[in-house]
Amino acid sequence: MKNIAGLFLLLIVFQSFAAAQIPKEGTWKGTIIYSNAEIPFQFEVEYPKDSESPVLTFINGEDRASLEATVRNDSLIIPMFGFDITLKMKQGSDSMEGRLYKHYRNQSYPFRAEYGLPRYEMAEEENPIVVGNRWDMTVNMGRSSEYPAVGLFEQNGNRVTGTIMTEVSDYRFFEGKVEGNSIEMSTFDGVHSFLLRGTYNESEERWSGELVLDNGYSRPWIATRDDSAELPDPFEMVDLTGKNIRPDLESLAVLAEQKINPEEYKGKVLIVQLMGTWCSNSQDQTRYLTEWVAENPDKEVEILAVNFEVNYSPEYGLGRIQTYKNRLDVPYKMILGGRLSKSKAAEAFSFMDEIVAFPTLVFIDKDGYARYFHSYFTGPATGSYYEEFDQRFNAIVEELSH
């Protein structure tokens, strides 16, 4: 009898201990740890009814993205959306530690999480420095890899949200703060862990700082407030007006068994998406195209995605396509284009030597001629630019459908 009572007491103690290790519901601060910076972000934990597996909602500004974790022994395993990336952490009620694994690059980064903390501790200043809504930026200035950018921001007291647009797409949703003459903002979207930090020089009326893009990897930047700052229109970077150029659709696939027969698309509008499963902007565009297909089932329009992989092999590439389609519910055809290469991605299109960015769209009319070209993607974080893309996309489809 004593043995039974002892076992019962031991079971109660074990259950209490196990319950103490379960992450609390509520808001957590996560941190990706680089050698040169720490990238903070915020997520919420909740337990849906009748489920022991928590759902984690990642928060960046106004963006919310939820994922269900798998509980394995004492750990949480979270596959990061359609990416070949996994966040693993040992469970704890108030704090957790683990690693973020980028399988496609064979890299991993330390990670920690703390319950109840904000992304940034923020002192509310009576008259915080005015960030401005738009910056004219130069990144990597003075170097061969220098490139222009436009910062888009919203400010509420010391809190700042926004994004950075470049000619290879936007950096998605940043969130952070200004204090004194300094700014710091971060984003974590499952693949990118970025940090923007800098200071304002009042005499020069200029911001300058560092953009941290990866472990040990950062770029200097300068910026001035400029409400007229713009980048080249992604719909105008290649002009196909008056040109009758048929893309070589048969060369799009790297595998013989996926080779495209142009007759399959005869009499239909075809939109070719040049993308990568490793790319967050490609994923934003894929979500847009997936929703568009669902909302326009009667359109005589086909979408064909051609995937280029960093860690290329036929087996890996085909596996990534299947996982990507399953996780994002992609309804259109996806084929493997080969190893990541901007020149390889352009081979089927004689009007260019290489594409500028992943993703890229090529609009092909019912007679098989390329009529419109769209370079870098301005995703949901860009606000009015994303809305303009939607309007232009639908106008082009309507034109080519008649």
Side-chain angles (χ1 to χ4, degrees):
M1 196 71 177
K2 288 182 179 180
N3 288 339
I4 294 175
L7 288 171
F8 183 69
L9 180 61
L10 185 63
L11 180 61
I12 292 174
V13 171
F14 175 78
Q15 289 176 334
S16 298
F17 175 78
Q21 305 310 303
I22 295 174
K24 289 180 180 177
E25 283 195 319
T27 302
W28 290 68
K29 176 184 178 180
T31 305
I32 306 296
I33 303 169
Y34 291 158
S35 61
N36 56 330
E38 293 190 352
I39 317 298
F41 63 95
Q42 205 129 47
F43 65 94
E44 293 176 347
V45 173
E46 62 177 341
Y47 294 86
K49 189 177 181 180
D50 301 325
S51 175
E52 295 180 359
S53 298
V55 170
L56 276 63
T57 300
F58 296 87
I59 302 169
N60 289 286
E62 303 306 313
D63 187 49
R64 302 288 187 275
S66 298
L67 290 168
E68 184 175 355
T70 297
V71 178
R72 188 176 301 164
N73 298 323
D74 63 348
S75 298
L76 296 181
I77 314 295
I78 304 103
M80 301 306 296
F81 308 101
F83 307 119
D84 189 16
I85 298 174
T86 307
L87 181 60
K88 298 181 180 180
M89 65 187 89
K90 186 175 181 180
Q91 291 192 92
S93 61
D94 294 290
S95 64
M96 297 184 280
E97 293 187 354
R99 297 190 77 86
L100 179 73
Y101 294 89
K102 292 189 175 182
H103 306 293
Y104 68 101
R105 289 193 181 276
N106 297 315
Q107 295 174 336
S108 69
Y109 311 92
F111 163 85
R112 69 169 179 267
E114 300 158 283
Y115 177 75
L117 295 183
R119 179 190 296 248
Y120 285 106
E121 297 287 348
M122 203 173 303
E124 295 291 340
E125 298 173 321
E126 186 173 340
N127 294 299
I129 190 170
V130 177
V131 172
N133 294 325
R134 187 180 295 257
W135 288 359
D136 181 3
M137 301 181 69
T138 302
V139 184
N140 253 11
M141 58 281 182
R143 305 179 185 183
S144 59
S145 55
E146 174 182 302
Y147 59 91
V150 173
L152 303 173
F153 304 108
E154 292 185 6
Q155 183 175 0
N156 183 7
N158 286 85
R159 181 175 181 266
V160 184
T161 58
T163 193
I164 299 170
M165 295 194 305
T166 77
E167 292 178 28
V168 292
S169 298
D170 65 87
Y171 287 172
R172 305 196 82 252
F173 296 87
F174 276 87
E175 181 178 343
K177 65 174 182 176
V178 288
E179 282 185 353
N181 67 338
S182 298
I183 188 170
E184 183 167 329
M185 306 176 72
S186 65
T187 185
F188 173 65
D189 61 12
V191 59
H192 290 147
S193 310
F194 292 163
L195 184 74
L196 177 83
R197 54 189 175 194
T199 56
Y200 185 68
N201 185 315
E202 190 170 353
S203 62
E204 297 180 359
E205 297 184 338
R206 187 178 75 175
W207 290 88
S208 63
E210 178 185 33
L211 181 60
V212 179
L213 299 173
D214 207 334
N215 186 39
Y217 175 53
S218 64
R219 293 172 173 171
W221 59 268
I222 57 174
T224 56
R225 292 194 290 261
D226 184 351
D227 289 339
S228 63
E230 291 285 358
L231 294 173
D233 187 332
F235 278 102
E236 306 297 334
M237 293 177 72
V238 174
D239 185 8
L240 294 172
T241 304
K243 299 176 182 177
N244 292 326
I245 302 174
R246 282 194 175 97
D248 180 13
L249 299 182
E250 295 183 33
S251 69
L252 287 172
V254 71
L255 302 178
E257 61 267 30
Q258 291 188 332
K259 188 174 181 180
I260 298 299
N261 179 2
E263 292 295 313
E264 181 180 348
Y265 299 106
K266 190 173 182 179
K268 297 179 180 179
V269 175
L270 173 63
I271 302 169
V272 177
Q273 180 196 27
L274 306 171
M275 49 77 69
T277 66
W278 43 270
C279 171
S280 60
N281 302 110
S282 290
Q283 189 162 131
D284 278 342
Q285 190 178 79
T286 296
R287 293 184 190 279
Y288 172 86
L289 295 173
T290 295
E291 291 177 9
W292 188 90
V293 170
E295 293 169 0
N296 297 273
D298 299 326
K299 297 280 189 183
E300 290 189 347
V301 176
E302 296 285 346
I303 298 172
L304 172 65
V306 188
N307 175 41
F308 295 85
E309 285 296 338
V310 176
N311 184 17
Y312 175 72
S313 72
E315 296 76 18
Y316 178 83
L318 292 173
R320 286 298 306 131
I321 286 174
Q322 192 58 52
T323 299
Y324 193 82
K325 290 194 70 171
N326 290 343
R327 289 183 181 173
L328 300 180
D329 294 323
V330 180
Y332 49 85
K333 181 182 288 188
M334 295 184 68
I335 63 173
L336 193 57
R339 189 179 303 278
L340 175 62
S341 166
K342 291 182 177 180
S343 58
K344 172 65 177 173
E347 282 184 356
F349 310 98
S350 60
F351 50 82
M352 58 181 173
D353 295 323
E354 66 176 23
I355 65 172
V356 173
F358 291 95
T360 287
L361 295 178
V362 182
F363 297 78
I364 301 170
D365 69 14
K366 293 181 177 181
D367 295 318
Y369 296 114
R371 294 304 183 194
Y372 290 94
F373 179 93
H374 181 268
S375 189
Y376 66 92
F377 186 55
T378 50
T382 67
S384 62
Y385 290 91
Y386 181 64
E387 294 171 3
E388 183 180 346
F389 166 80
D390 177 54
Q391 294 168 5
R392 296 277 294 278
F393 181 94
N394 281 282
I396 288 171
V397 169
E398 191 67 24
E399 175 193 331
L400 298 182
S401 296
H402 293 298

